[in-house]
Every structure is written in C-alpha cells, then in structure tokens.
Amino acid sequence: AAKKKEPPKLADYLELDPSIKSLEVKNFDLPDKDIKDVVTMISKWTGKNFIIDSGKIRGKITIMGPSAVSLQEAYQAFLTALEANGLTTIQSGKYIRIIDSAEARRAPVKTYAGDYAPKDDQFITRIFQLKFINADEVQREFRDLTSRNGKLFAYEPTNSIIITDTGSNIQRIKELLETLDVKNYGNPIVTGKQ
C-alpha cells in the first residue's frame, strides 16, 4: 500500500482550521481570473483575512482544477499560484498580507532555526548552523540556488548560512546542505554549474 503524500506544512498563520481542511471543493477551475476575485473567494472559503495593496497587486491567476479537491488542496494551489505570479504572503497581525516577492526580503518574515520550517511557497528566513563545511564557501557556491527574489549569505562568527526565500526552495537547499555537511567530506563543493 502506497503511503499518501502529506501536503506541505504551512506556516501557523496560513494553516487552515482542521474542521474545514477536508471539505470538498467540487470545481476549482479558475481560468484567467483576477487575483482580487480569487483572494475574495479563498477568504470566504477559509475564513482567512487578507490585505492586498490594490495599487501594486494586480493581474490574473489561472488554476486548472476541474476535478473535486479538498479545501486544503485548493488553498495550497492558491498559494502556489500566488508564488508563480511573483507574489507571496506575510503575517500582519490577524491578517495575511499579499505582497510582491521582491518586497518579501525586506518585509518582517518569520525566522526559523532547528528542525521545523514551513515547506510551502511563502517567504521565510531560515538559519542553518554548519558543522563541517565552510559557510563562506557555501555562500559562493549556493548563491545561484536561491529564487530570483531570494537571498543567501554566510555569517562567519557562527559558521552559519542565513537564507530568505520560499519555504519550498529552502527545503531543497537544506537537503543539499545535509548531504554535504558531513564529517570528512573534504572535497570542494561542486553544484553542477560550470
């Protein structure tokens, strides 16, 4: 029996109330819909409060989903569609602000250290303390692995890497770091770009 794949863990402020996660959305087919209309619909379905800067946030979202999905899956598709349109979310009190991804690096995004961090398409900051490989070398070699609006830099005093990017891209970088940050690795880091 194949194990059902769990959806990405969302940040606490994005997480849906467990009582509505499995509600069925009969048809989540949104061809070329205005972003504001989609946000209004998602807000009504989920009970989440959103803030949109209508002067900056505009455009269309297309989600092809003619078959029935759970509300959790529809919500995750919405967050992914935002990211595909160069947008992300940040927490602002009891509201979820939708902002341009380029602005997210300077916005007050949540910082995570340790084992847990969201693995979705929202921007977060994550700190990795390296044990065996040099943070400066990682910064040089991994810089191109961040998304267009992501940022990665080394903090030498603690041999740490600090990354601000989408949770899903940070998860990909984390997997690479875990593979390389081992005792006696000893070889220079090669990332495949020559």
Side-chain angles (χ1 to χ4, degrees):
K3 196 173 110 177
K4 189 176 178 196
K5 191 175 183 233
E6 285 292 312
K9 175 80 172 115
L10 298 176
D12 293 340
Y13 76 94
L14 288 171
E15 207 45 77
L16 294 180
D17 186 291
S19 66
I20 64 170
K21 280 184 179 184
S22 60
L23 292 178
E24 188 177 65
V25 176
K26 295 268 187 233
N27 182 341
F28 195 52
D29 210 11
L30 304 174
D32 206 29
K33 294 287 184 195
D34 186 273
I35 286 176
K36 290 180 203 91
D37 294 339
V38 177
V39 171
T40 300
M41 180 180 68
I42 291 292
S43 180
K44 286 178 183 169
W45 288 356
T46 63
K48 296 287 187 184
N49 301 313
F50 291 92
I51 296 173
I52 303 174
D53 180 345
S54 26
K56 293 180 185 174
I57 307 300
R58 53 176 52 126
K60 306 272 187 189
I61 287 180
T62 296
I63 298 174
M64 308 286 192
S67 58
V69 294
S70 71
L71 183 53
Q72 177 73 33
E73 291 165 326
Y75 186 54
Q76 183 63 51
F78 161 71
L79 295 172
T80 300
L82 288 178
E83 198 267 336
N85 281 275
L87 303 171
T88 191
T89 62
I90 60 169
Q91 184 173 13
S92 184
K94 291 185 177 187
Y95 291 85
I96 298 169
R97 272 185 60 209
I98 297 174
I99 61 172
D100 188 275
S101 293
E103 190 185 324
R105 284 196 317 208
R106 294 176 294 283
V109 297
K110 188 135 183 181
T111 301
Y112 296 87
D115 292 336
Y116 168 75
K119 297 177 180 95
D120 62 5
D121 293 323
Q122 95 187 73
F123 263 68
I124 61 170
T125 296
R126 182 112 190 239
I127 302 167
F128 297 98
Q129 189 163 13
L130 304 174
K131 294 180 184 88
F132 305 107
I133 56 178
N134 181 282
D136 283 331
E137 191 175 347
V138 169
Q139 177 181 304
R140 276 192 308 277
E141 297 297 333
F142 280 41
R143 182 171 284 151
D144 294 339
L145 297 179
T146 59
S147 67
R148 186 168 40 101
N149 295 307
K151 189 96 174 137
L152 178 150
F153 62 95
Y155 182 68
E156 273 187 79
T158 59
N159 196 41
S160 298
I161 292 294
I162 302 169
I163 308 169
T164 298
D165 205 340
T166 61
S168 54
N169 198 47
I170 289 176
Q171 178 62 25
R172 186 174 66 95
I173 293 170
K174 174 185 182 263
E175 289 167 6
L176 288 169
L177 286 173
E178 286 173 347
T179 301
L180 297 173
D181 192 24
V182 293
K183 196 171 187 167
N184 299 327
Y185 185 76
N187 297 323
I189 298 173
V190 178
T191 59
K193 57 172 186 37
Q194 300 299 331

